[in-house]
């Protein structure tokens, strides 16, 4: 069996690499890859390459209304299966995470019904984790 090729590569700025390591490696459980100490760290974000680069942090935050929520933009995240999403929501809640948007179900009974939650990493990068009861609804209109 060969390695799964990452579907995306995302490099984000963080002002504190060790806080990023604790958040992504510890709290989110992402395996760490290579690093250049003091400059950058690679993480495996469920098969995707996430690189934390020491920099100024996330910068300006904007919001966009989606189904009654003020969604932070820009943001990135993952689509998980329902059980993984529920487990992550519990782990984050138990860790005292300050959610931007609390875990909940959006578009209930409509195309694209999903569980979603938003939070900021220690550098202020906005993340969304979501799950669909029916993954075929991911791009439903």
């Amino acid at each position: 069996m060969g390695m799964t090729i990452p579907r995306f590569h995302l490099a984000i700025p963080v002002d504190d690499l060790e806080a990023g390591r604790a958040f992504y490696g510890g709290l989110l459980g992402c395996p760490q890859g290579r690093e250049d100490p003091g400059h950058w760290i690679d993480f495996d974000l469920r098969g995707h390459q996430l690189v934390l680069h020491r920099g100024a942090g996330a910068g300006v935050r904007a919001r966009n209304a989606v189904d009654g929520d003020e969604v932070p933009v820009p943001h990135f995240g993952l689509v998980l299966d329902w059980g993984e999403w529920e487990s992550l929501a519990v782990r984050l809640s138990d860790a005292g995470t300050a959610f931007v948007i609390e875990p909940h179900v959006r578009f209930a009974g409509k195309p694209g019904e999903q569980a979603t939650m938003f939070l900021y990493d220690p550098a202020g990068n906005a993340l969304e984790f979501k799950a669909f009861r029916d993954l075929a609804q991911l791009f439903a209109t």
Side-chain angles (χ1 to χ4, degrees), residues 10 13 16 19-20 23 27 32 40 47 54 56 63 67 85 92 100 102 107 112 127-128 132 140:
L10 180 63
D16 183 337
F23 180 81
L27 183 59
Q32 183 180 321
W40 54 266
R54 189 173 51 81
R63 301 285 178 110
D67 195 40
W85 184 91
L92 292 170
V100 176
E102 295 282 335
F107 307 125
L127 293 97
E128 177 184 19
F132 290 80

Side-chain angles (χ1 to χ4, degrees), residues 33-130:
R34 298 174 302 129
E35 72 176 291
D36 182 355
H39 299 282
W40 54 266
I41 306 170
D42 280 345
F43 288 95
D44 176 350
L45 183 65
R46 305 273 170 97
H48 306 285
Q49 184 187 31
L50 175 66
V51 185
L52 309 184
H53 283 272
R54 189 173 51 81
V60 177
R61 296 179 184 163
R63 301 285 178 110
N64 187 23
V66 177
D67 195 40
D69 292 324
E70 291 296 314
V71 171
V73 288
H75 67 266
F76 73 96
L78 291 174
V79 176
L80 306 171
D81 71 45
W82 202 271
E84 286 178 304
W85 184 91
E86 289 175 322
S87 294
L88 180 59
V90 168
R91 186 166 70 248
L92 292 170
S93 294
D94 288 352
T97 300
F99 290 98
V100 176
I101 298 174
E102 295 282 335
H104 72 285
V105 175
R106 174 184 290 154
F107 307 125
K110 298 177 185 173
E113 179 178 355
Q114 61 193 258
T116 186
M117 62 182 136
F118 285 82
L119 57 137
Y120 290 117
D121 75 3
N125 296 294
L127 293 97
E128 177 184 19
F129 295 96
K130 64 169 66 175

Side-chain angles (χ1 to χ4, degrees), residues 1-45:
M1 289 182 103
M3 181 180 113
T4 300
I5 296 173
R7 291 171 290 250
F8 72 73
H9 161 87
L10 180 63
I12 61 171
V14 298
D15 50 3
D16 183 337
L17 284 170
E18 291 311 312
R21 184 189 319 268
F23 180 81
Y24 289 97
L27 183 59
L28 295 184
C30 299
Q32 183 180 321
R34 298 174 302 129
E35 72 176 291
D36 182 355
H39 299 282
W40 54 266
I41 306 170
D42 280 345
F43 288 95
D44 176 350
L45 183 65

